[in-house]
Amino acid sequence: FDLVLLDVMLPGIDGFELMDYIRPLGIPVIFLTAKTDVNDKVKGLRLGAEDYLTKPFETEELLACLRALLRRQEEIVPEELTFEGLSLNLSSCVLSYEGHSVRLSSKEFEMMRLLLSGSGNVIPKETLLLKVWGYDSQAEDNHVEVYISFLRKKLFHIHCPVTIESARRLGYFLKGTDTV
């Protein structure tokens, strides 16, 4: 996804709570909601939303926000992602740590990119499955587990102390030497 338009009042979960799942994915969010209280606006922005528009809204205003956000996204394209000395070059698919490096396959690259983008936060297994294999794929949970195993071996190969940990029934996250 390039961005998420999110309402605060959703069935079953509120949009503020949903931000806990979206934020680690690095997907920009614009709240579009009927909640007009200043405290709600501040909370939405504090949680990491790029903008907060209230209903009723002008279509031109929403489109202008979307264009500005997508334009900013194009300008801010990092060359590499890092976590405690571990770095992933986004153009060469090379994972490196202190002079040791290894090239990743396309699926390994996408998984590591998502894990590094999460900065130590749990990335749900379902997210990894959907982002790496796609919605139309027949891939199952064990595909994620196999590729996590491949990545763990590659981290060991480059002598990296950062590990990929599993959060039981939730997903995976990167754990560094400073992480508790």
Side-chain angles (χ1 to χ4, degrees):
F1 299 101
D2 293 318
L3 66 92
V4 172
L5 286 177
L6 183 60
D7 199 340
V8 174
M9 299 178 288
L10 299 169
I13 189 170
D14 109 357
F16 294 139
E17 293 174 42
L18 198 54
M19 284 294 290
D20 290 336
Y21 298 98
I22 298 172
R23 190 178 324 110
L25 302 175
I27 301 170
V29 173
I30 295 176
F31 275 106
L32 186 59
T33 181
K35 296 193 71 124
T36 60
D37 188 69
V38 171
N39 291 330
D40 290 323
K41 291 179 184 182
V42 169
K43 182 176 183 179
L45 295 169
R46 192 183 77 243
L47 289 172
E50 302 294 325
D51 210 334
Y52 191 106
L53 300 176
T54 57
K55 298 175 186 174
F57 61 94
E58 294 294 327
T59 305
E60 295 82 22
E61 182 183 12
L62 174 60
L63 291 174
C65 287
L66 294 173
R67 284 188 207 101
L69 179 59
L70 293 174
R71 196 170 44 248
R72 277 199 313 262
Q73 289 298 105
E74 290 172 2
E75 294 169 2
I76 308 171
V77 177
E79 193 154 317
E80 66 179 25
L81 296 173
T82 60
F83 180 81
E84 294 196 18
L86 176 67
S87 66
L88 177 64
N89 185 299
L90 299 178
S91 58
S92 68
C93 301
V94 171
L95 186 66
S96 57
Y97 181 79
E98 292 186 353
H100 301 280
S101 62
V102 64
R103 186 172 304 278
L104 302 180
S105 72
S106 62
K107 298 221 182 303
E108 291 169 338
F109 170 79
E110 282 302 317
M111 287 187 74
M112 185 55 76
R113 186 183 64 75
L114 290 166
L115 289 166
L116 284 165
S117 295
S119 300
N121 292 313
V122 174
I123 306 298
K125 187 184 280 189
E126 296 78 25
T127 299
L128 292 169
L129 195 59
L130 292 173
K131 290 265 189 182
V132 175
W133 280 271
Y135 287 100
D136 297 332
S137 171
Q138 298 299 316
E140 298 180 6
D141 287 356
N142 67 333
H143 286 80
V144 173
E145 294 161 12
V146 167
Y147 276 85
I148 289 291
S149 173
F150 292 163
L151 288 172
R152 286 175 172 154
K153 289 176 185 173
K154 290 192 174 185
L155 288 170
F156 178 79
H157 176 74
I158 62 172
H159 309 287
C160 183
V162 173
T163 58
I164 301 172
E165 300 292 321
S166 56
R168 194 161 187 238
R169 294 194 171 128
L170 293 176
Y172 296 94
F173 64 97
L174 292 178
K175 181 179 179 188
T177 53
D178 297 335
T179 311
V180 179

